[in-house]
Amino acid sequence: MKKIIQDLSLEELETLVLELGEKKFRAKQLYEGLMQGKSIRAISSLSKAFKETLCEQYEDEAIRIKETYVSADGTEKYLFEFADGNLVEGVLMKYKYGYTQCVSTQVGCRMGCKFCASTLGGLVRNLTAGEILSQVLIVNALHRSEVKSGLGDGARAVTNLVLMGSGEPLDNYAEVIKFLKNVTAAGGLNISARNISLSTCGLVPKMYALANEGLPLNLTVSLHSTNDEDRARVMPVAKAYKISEILKACKYYFEKTGRRYYFEYTLIDGENCDEEHAKALVALLKGLPCHVNLIRLNEVKERTLKSTSDKAAYRFLGMLEKGGLSATLRRQIGVDIGGACGQLRASYLDKNE
Ligand code: SAH
């Protein structure tokens, strides 16, 4: 595979064009074309000869959309293909205030959570910063014309990002940080870090490192249990890091960034959503500057875990609220299109084996 040009910042592109004997302003044209989601060869402001030189070293198309599914509720799901044929998925959720895209950070995942489809075949490889960015660029390009953006040039339809696709973002730390710097860059897509949520299964040392980056992101931790023993049954990572260590790292994150943090809690029938669990969760989190997002389990056919009823989900939410926690039950969207992490890729690989 050749290199990925979307890995480069504007400054790095300037160095590159000068090295290739072009004038510096060509870097800006190249950058603008890439930020509009174009392939190298589709950027009309550059000469054919220069583009061919670039394509000797860099992939012309870093990413392609292989399949698109549109849900009855408007949610779109994409199966992306990278230059080496690897597949990941992404989701676009349309809200009144803007479009939120869910991006993947790895092909597969090695965290092994029992309810998750991304981890079924283990980790295949990390994505580069440019491959993560190219997911946003290509989806943004598709929808640019639909949104009157506040950016004079109407360049941005995607306003919010969640790093909740396949992969564990903090297990691909350097590339994810580079992606975050590039996607928030003023001359580029310029998505505010405050509109980006990074979700982790709780890799504690990397949570400290993230707090020190000085990026005002929304940090989200997948908790799913109220004690280490229960947690280890569904999340193998719980054997490496205790909930008490995770809470300490969250406290540090809050002190460093001033931002409250979030917990994801997926409701699994018979596992974590009875009255005793609600009480334990309240005891664990009460008084902390955090918010709890309850998620209904999206049942994965390769896994045996079961979702709860709506009634039980609302009862659990009620108990948390009564106990004084700030919590919401995520509206379930896109279920008819295989909305859960890794489901689309898994079923595609199945079909094509
Ligand atoms: N690796 C990161 C990002 C993963 S996905 C993390 O662990 O946080 C984002 C969220 O979806 C996580 O909270 C994850 O636990 C949850 N999730 C994964 N599969 C799910 C499923 N089938 N149903 C409901 N939630 C799921």
Side-chain angles (χ1 to χ4, degrees), residues 222-238:
S222 300
L223 196 59
H224 307 331
S225 307
T226 56
N227 64 70
D228 295 319
E229 201 189 328
D230 287 354
R231 194 164 185 262
R233 267 207 306 281
V234 286
M235 300 180 73
V237 69

Side-chain angles (χ1 to χ4, degrees), residues 33-276:
L34 295 173
M35 291 301 123
Q36 288 166 9
K38 291 182 175 152
S39 68
I40 296 174
R41 288 196 177 97
I43 302 174
S44 52
S45 53
L46 301 174
S47 74
K48 192 153 183 281
F50 178 45
K51 289 187 280 194
E52 290 312 313
T53 310
L54 286 172
C55 288
E56 284 165 18
Q57 289 183 45
Y58 294 92
E59 292 293 345
D60 178 33
E61 284 185 293
I63 194 169
R64 288 193 309 132
I65 295 181
K66 202 170 172 72
E67 293 183 356
T68 302
Y69 301 82
V70 182
S71 164
D73 62 26
T75 301
E76 296 191 2
K77 181 133 194 178
Y78 315 97
L79 187 66
F80 297 117
E81 182 178 19
F82 294 105
D84 65 354
N86 268 307
L87 304 170
V88 299
E89 52 211 89
V91 183
L92 186 72
M93 293 157 283
K94 299 181 175 182
Y95 297 108
K96 283 198 197 74
Y97 56 80
Y99 290 1
T100 297
Q101 186 179 347
C102 175
V103 300
S104 293
T105 54
Q106 296 179 314
V107 182
C109 182
R110 59 184 183 134
M111 297 297 135
C113 298
K114 291 286 183 287
F115 43 80
C116 182
S118 298
T119 201
L120 288 168
L123 176 67
V124 178
R125 72 169 173 88
N126 281 326
L127 294 179
T128 73
E131 287 174 321
I132 305 171
L133 181 62
S134 68
Q135 297 168 48
V136 188
L137 296 174
I138 199 166
V139 169
N140 189 57
L142 270 182
H143 294 280
R144 265 171 78 190
S145 59
E146 293 164 28
V147 174
K148 280 208 180 59
S149 127
L151 284 181
D153 56 1
R156 193 178 61 200
V158 177
T159 54
N160 295 60
L161 295 177
V162 294
L163 276 58
M164 297 188 185
S166 69
E168 165 50 48
L170 298 186
D171 189 39
N172 182 16
Y173 189 82
E175 293 300 315
V176 165
I177 296 298
K178 190 170 168 196
F179 156 71
L180 290 170
K181 291 192 170 152
N182 285 345
V183 81
T184 54
L189 279 186
N190 198 10
I191 294 178
S192 163
R194 290 167 192 279
N195 292 348
I196 303 178
S197 298
L198 185 150
S199 181
T200 177
C201 61
L203 302 183
V204 168
K206 295 287 161 55
M207 290 170 68
Y208 283 99
L210 185 67
N212 291 332
E213 297 284 348
L215 288 162
L217 303 166
N218 303 309
L219 175 66
T220 301
V221 181
S222 300
L223 196 59
H224 307 331
S225 307
T226 56
N227 64 70
D228 295 319
E229 201 189 328
D230 287 354
R231 194 164 185 262
R233 267 207 306 281
V234 286
M235 300 180 73
V237 69
K239 291 178 200 125
Y241 303 109
K242 297 202 177 334
I243 292 175
S244 59
E245 296 173 290
I246 289 176
L247 293 182
K248 259 192 226 150
C250 287
K251 181 165 180 272
Y252 182 77
Y253 191 83
F254 179 72
E255 285 164 5
K256 274 299 228 196
T257 64
R259 298 185 64 76
R260 73 170 178 169
Y261 40 88
Y262 299 79
F263 293 106
E264 312 251 49
Y265 195 95
T266 293
L267 301 166
I268 307 171
D269 191 45
E271 186 67 43
N272 67 357
C273 42
D274 296 331
E275 189 178 348
E276 54 168 311

